[in-house]
Amino acid sequence: MPGWSEDISNVKTFDELPVNAQRYVLRVQELLGVPIRWIGVGPNRLDMIDRGEGWDLSTCKSADDNDLTYSSY
């Protein structure tokens, strides 16, 4: 998978991540078969993105989709 060179240490939401980082998270989620809620973006304990509760893999787009929108309920 392609990587990314952008600094993500100040990112606060999933949508703010570079597209390749979003695809990476979605692909790992797809391979594991479990929703990924927390994404670390830096070395500090609070450097986290919280995607919230209620992630359902059946309603999430896959990493291969061109449209990286996702849904929660």
Side-chain angles (χ1 to χ4, degrees):
M1 293 191 74
W4 58 93
S5 58
E6 299 89 343
D7 178 15
I8 61 170
S9 61
N10 292 317
V11 171
K12 300 296 180 206
T13 67
F14 185 80
D15 290 331
E16 293 175 5
L17 285 171
V19 171
N20 284 341
Q22 292 179 29
R23 287 186 177 137
Y24 178 82
V25 170
L26 293 174
R27 182 65 177 143
V28 170
Q29 176 174 273
E30 189 175 57
L31 289 170
L32 294 175
V34 296
I36 294 177
R37 176 175 175 174
W38 299 95
I39 302 165
V41 294
N44 297 314
R45 188 176 197 170
L46 297 177
D47 294 340
M48 301 291 286
I49 294 173
D50 179 1
R51 294 176 70 198
E53 294 182 23
W55 289 97
D56 181 354
L57 293 178
S58 66
T59 62
C60 289
K61 297 287 184 180
S62 76
D64 297 329
D65 290 340
N66 290 331
D67 178 13
L68 288 175
T69 58
Y70 52 92
S71 60
S72 65
Y73 55 88

